[in-house]
Amino acid sequence: MKQMLVAGALILGLVACGGNKVGGGGGSTTYPYNPDASATESTDTRTPYRGDWVWTAKLPDGSYTSGVLVISERGQSAAAAKNGGAGQNAPCADAGCTSINVNAFDFGLIYSQVASSGPQLVALLGDPASEANRVEMIDTDGKVSTNAQGRAVLSGAGKAGTQAARVAFVQINSDANVGGRIDAVVTPELLAEVKAAADAVAAQSLQALPSSLDGKSMLK
């Protein structure tokens, strides 16, 4: 499994991403590109979900664990995983996410999981310190939505480590980060947005991704 090198630091400020655009021709270079869940690999050559995302998981005790995900390359298509974006994730080093834990990088994926009930839009974040993934999430409706601030949002029930969690991701930008560099911009306002998206998840049931569908086969 190839691990992309990650450099850079979390920059304080705010950069807004554009609206959510789905689909497009094979030769399109327009971003953001945030396709809905699909059981079929797209012929579109763009990197799905490219850019920086801030994520948070609301735990059963009401606390949050948060971090940053950078998607920088297209995932490799697999039998049970399609249209994936691959990159790196890291947790915040403090509650306000003013910096990231540079010693805790691991893989990050957003992709379509092919299941018997239909395709599901899934986010999967690895954790170098644990056999359990840092975060697993199945989006509530299989579509990337847009919040009141115009940013793309994924949200649904899942897990943070071994705990049930309400999970959300908000896209900060759709820039191509060469080498998987994390240069995400997180402000208190942006952190509040992603927490609000997690709060809005209706169900907090434990959702585990079966090992045969864990998406890691997408990593090149």
Side-chain angles (χ1 to χ4, degrees):
M1 172 170 48
K2 183 175 76 174
Q3 294 283 339
M4 287 176 289
L5 297 177
V6 180
L10 200 66
I11 303 171
L12 301 181
L14 179 60
V15 174
C17 73
N20 177 29
K21 297 182 180 180
V22 178
S28 177
T29 58
T30 301
Y31 284 94
Y33 172 48
N34 298 320
D36 296 341
S38 175
T40 304
E41 185 71 14
S42 174
T43 58
D44 197 308
T45 58
R46 290 177 291 176
T47 298
Y49 318 106
R50 188 183 80 171
D52 295 320
W53 300 73
V54 60
W55 56 265
T56 198
K58 186 175 184 179
L59 305 178
D61 65 2
S63 65
Y64 299 88
T65 180
S66 305
V68 176
L69 165 68
V70 56
I71 297 294
S72 58
E73 67 178 41
R74 191 178 184 92
Q76 182 170 283
S77 179
K82 306 293 183 183
N83 298 328
Q88 292 279 341
N89 90 91
C92 298
D94 56 82
C97 208
T98 60
S99 63
I100 56 175
N101 185 343
V102 297
N103 297 314
F105 290 110
D106 208 330
F107 76 87
L109 292 165
I110 302 175
Y111 68 100
S112 288
Q113 171 182 294
V114 181
S116 58
S117 58
Q120 298 172 313
L121 188 55
V122 168
L124 189 66
L125 308 181
D127 184 348
S130 173
E131 288 297 316
N133 290 310
R134 178 172 284 140
V135 169
E136 300 177 358
M137 184 209 70
I138 298 176
D139 185 76
T140 300
D141 62 1
K143 298 179 180 180
V144 179
S145 59
T146 303
N147 66 11
Q149 292 74 30
R151 282 181 275 272
V153 177
L154 293 169
S155 62
K159 292 197 301 181
T162 59
Q163 296 189 71
R166 304 183 188 201
V167 183
F169 291 74
V170 171
Q171 190 174 36
I172 304 170
N173 61 60
S174 58
D175 298 336
N177 296 323
V178 178
R181 183 184 73 252
I182 289 182
D183 57 2
V185 176
V186 178
T187 63
E189 292 80 10
L190 186 55
L191 196 58
E193 283 182 38
V194 73
K195 287 182 177 180
D199 291 344
V201 174
Q204 197 166 350
S205 58
L206 185 68
Q207 292 198 26
L209 304 183
S211 59
S212 60
L213 301 177
D214 67 5
K216 293 181 183 178
S217 55
M218 301 198 83
L219 297 171
K220 300 176 183 178

